[in-house]
Amino acid sequence: MKKLAVFASGSGSNFEAIATACQNGEIDASIEWLIVDQPEAYAIERAKKFNIPTLVLQPKQFESRAAYEAEIVKQLHEKDVEWVVLAGYMRLVGDTLLDAFPNRILNIHPSLLPSFPGLDAIRQAVRHGVKVTGVTVHYVDQGMDTGPIIMQRAVDVVDGDEEATAAAIHEVEHALYKEALQYVLHRS
Ligand code: GRF
């Protein structure tokens, strides 16, 4: 069974979908850590339901991003974590973490990359007037939402309705992240 760490900054609905899939055997893995950079993130509450240990670390507690990430790497190594799963983690990953987990960091993004990278991807898509957007799971590299794509799924835009489009996207995210993870873990 593969050992994962999930990183989140906010609600954590993707984290919960993955935790549920690990619990019921849909994904052959266990979540060793939830890593959070925001003490008020709702993801922390979700972790309690699953008895998943949570580590709250804020970059401002460290003198540099490298020092912040070095502490994370140390904690991940202590639990023999092999894969890092970003699920609404609102930071760029730096070299310290990338070098410690080469090609072993995944992210989910709420658009069909390379369209609409960065913040507020759903709003960007709705405002642009595209008729189809979607979800991308990809490997993480130094860039913002630029790494090699693993899986994508299209979602119809509900015309001019950001909230309804977001709801449809989140539903697809929860299914697609599980599939992509199981696919990647199975091949490793
Ligand atoms: C998701 O839309 C994900 O694609 C993006 O951040 C959001 C996180 O949502 N990277 P949640 O915290 O998993 O509910």
Side-chain angles (χ1 to χ4, degrees), residues 55-111:
L55 189 62
V56 183
L57 287 176
Q58 295 180 278
K60 68 178 184 198
Q61 300 167 313
F62 297 85
E63 60 184 24
S64 64
R65 179 165 76 170
Y68 161 68
E69 290 193 343
E71 176 62 23
I72 292 177
V73 169
K74 186 177 140 213
Q75 301 286 350
L76 299 186
H77 282 159
E78 267 173 26
K79 287 189 184 274
D80 295 324
V81 167
E82 303 162 86
W83 289 88
V84 170
V85 179
L86 308 185
Y89 178 68
M90 304 303 281
R91 291 182 184 281
L92 276 179
V93 172
D95 287 340
T96 306
L97 202 46
L98 286 167
D99 291 347
F101 292 91
N103 298 317
R104 288 192 170 232
I105 308 180
L106 271 59
N107 183 43
I108 189 160
H109 184 77
S111 77

Side-chain angles (χ1 to χ4, degrees), residues 174-186:
H174 300 159
L176 193 71
Y177 219 169
K178 289 190 290 195
E179 274 179 50
L181 258 166
Q182 182 61 353
Y183 171 75
V184 161
L185 296 177
H186 201 72

Side-chain angles (χ1 to χ4, degrees), residues 143-160:
M144 168 99 82
D145 304 321
T146 51
I149 290 169
I150 300 165
M151 280 188 190
Q152 292 187 302
R153 191 150 298 159
V155 175
D156 285 339
V157 172
V158 184
D159 233 357

Side-chain angles (χ1 to χ4, degrees), residues 10-15 87-88 107-110 170 173:
S11 162
S13 69
N14 281 284
F15 159 63
N107 183 43
I108 189 160
H109 184 77
H170 292 315
E173 284 188 322

Side-chain angles (χ1 to χ4, degrees), residues 126-181:
V126 172
R127 290 202 176 154
H128 194 92
V130 295
K131 303 306 171 203
V132 177
T133 182
V135 175
T136 303
V137 177
H138 64 94
Y139 289 105
V140 172
D141 63 11
Q142 275 98 344
M144 168 99 82
D145 304 321
T146 51
I149 290 169
I150 300 165
M151 280 188 190
Q152 292 187 302
R153 191 150 298 159
V155 175
D156 285 339
V157 172
V158 184
D159 233 357
D161 189 339
E162 197 182 315
E163 212 172 304
T165 305
I169 285 192
H170 292 315
E171 204 180 313
V172 170
E173 284 188 322
H174 300 159
L176 193 71
Y177 219 169
K178 289 190 290 195
E179 274 179 50
L181 258 166

